[in-house]
Amino acid sequence: MVQEEGASSVTSSPLQFLSWMTLSPGLGSPYPWLRELKSEERGLCLIHLLVTCANHVAAGSIENANIGLEHISHLACPDGDTMQRIAAYFTEALADRMLKGWPGLHKALNSTKISSVSEEILVRRLFFELCPFLKISYVITNQAIVEAMEGEKMVHVIDLYSFEPAQWLNLLQMLSARPEGPPHLRITGIHEQKEVLDNMALRLTEEAEKLDIPFQFNPIVSKLENIDLESLHKTGEALAVSSVLRLHSLLANEDEILRKTSPSASKSSNPNQLQRALQMGHRTLGEWLERDMVHVYSPSPDSASASSPLSLSTSPKMSNFLSALWSLSPKLMVITEQESNHNGSTLMERVMEALNFYAALFDCLESTVSRTSLERQKVEKMLLGEEIKNIIACEGAERKERHEKLEKWILRLEFAGFGRVPFSYHGIMQARRMLQGHGYDGYNVKEDNGCLAMYWQDRPLFSVSAWRFRRYD
């Protein structure tokens, strides 16, 4: 927009309005130029509006939050560009959190929601197919299992979240090629839905028969926290444990006392900082979020204590579960987790971390899948959108998506008595060759301290780490 000679910068530049535009109620779309903004500028406007709106939600200012949601609705769109799509799901999550203040209304609006097991299977398979992260996890995990089980005659794998046959179909093929011949393989699959495990059993049994591998699938229909791990394992078996994007759910603690959002976490964003960021040209949304949002939002003082070793023992479920796993003396345990901290004690901590993380994930899809793709829309709405909603709208035991970074998992697992197992050079090269062979541009895997991080551009999104039973001195 060109400024007319003598015109005030406050009245002529759209950027100047961003510090106060969310405070104007019921005006519909008072700034038609918003729709004409370039993608980068519109994206930064949406970030600002989302952060401001989230601050209002955190502070309990429902009227101002409602005004913010109204303005965002004029820019957000579930089938638009990356930031428009993200904004649509973040506003839905913020609105859902607000509605929880009226339990009757919230329950009524969700009373006819149907959860289909077949749709859950479908959407996770679509994520597996559209993004390489699960493929990399399966490749590196299976290679580590084959190496750890060399020479073993009886192998037992406990799959803590058994929903995708592809991982174990690949393992069966790898074991069938062992020079000494395949072992007797038993896989225990854990899932809350019997239909999911029935599908796993059928696919894996067929493949094992085809490859002539002695095989048994042991389905356990249960929540993870209710499993009696000791009853699953038999003497004489070499044990491996696999957890793909599941272990974090045990961090939910129904007995926790929720701390109120601290005043420092509900301060409004700085308009001067936002205007400077908007005028910086073609810097990507991810770069701006990563480098500049720290000036807009500073974590509350109590958030720093969350990374202390003492805080790792605050979840009895997790501590008890890891102790039970340790008592089984596994030769190998491989854990894949989201590489982001979505388990902050305050809403604003989680909003800022989630914006960073999911902006990158949505960008992955934007780079490879058409905006009109029905498959992409299903992954974004039914998987990523539901994760965002759980992170932002839920608290206590209801908040299952408690992702934490690798550094914290390392502390927790070492504290539980496990020792780290570095991934082999061969395993890491297999993962890199898989990316190259499938033409996954923009993705990368990096080894760090024996663990593996999966990157989109320069941002780590998922981590894989391997562990073994270690006796206490």
Side-chain angles (χ1 to χ4, degrees), residues 109-136:
L109 288 173
N110 289 276
S111 61
T112 58
K113 186 177 180 181
I114 299 174
S115 178
S116 165
V117 178
S118 58
E119 283 192 339
E120 178 190 342
I121 297 173
L122 171 64
V123 74
R124 292 193 178 277
R125 174 168 289 278
L126 287 174
F127 181 68
F128 168 78
E129 292 172 352
L130 296 179
C131 295
F133 302 114
L134 293 180
K135 294 186 180 76
I136 295 171

Side-chain angles (χ1 to χ4, degrees), residues 423-470:
F423 290 115
S424 68
Y425 174 79
H426 181 60
I428 295 171
M429 288 308 297
Q430 271 194 317
R432 287 175 177 161
R433 280 196 293 268
M434 193 218 75
L435 284 178
Q436 294 167 358
H438 288 79
Y440 284 115
D441 295 332
Y443 297 90
N444 196 9
V445 292
K446 296 181 183 179
E447 186 270 341
D448 181 22
N449 255 348
C451 303
L452 200 72
M454 296 179 259
Y455 282 72
W456 165 251
Q457 303 298 357
D458 60 351
R459 179 178 176 84
L461 292 178
F462 297 88
S463 67
V464 192
S465 59
W467 303 84
R468 60 172 174 79
F469 167 81
R470 183 184 65 196

Side-chain angles (χ1 to χ4, degrees), residues 156-168:
H156 180 200
V157 177
I158 298 178
D159 182 0
L160 298 183
Y161 190 39
S162 197
F163 70 90
E164 177 50 64
Q167 177 175 10
W168 307 124

Side-chain angles (χ1 to χ4, degrees), residues 174-216:
M174 293 175 73
L175 291 174
S176 72
R178 279 202 329 182
E180 68 269 36
H184 181 284
L185 177 64
R186 186 162 75 101
I187 294 179
T188 294
I190 301 169
H191 200 279
E192 294 179 33
Q193 302 290 344
K194 183 177 182 295
E195 182 180 335
V196 175
L197 295 175
D198 288 344
N199 178 58
M200 290 281 288
L202 178 63
R203 294 285 307 281
L204 297 181
T205 302
E206 287 177 350
E207 185 69 15
E209 289 175 354
K210 190 186 305 179
L211 296 170
D212 196 25
I213 294 178
F215 175 74
Q216 178 188 354

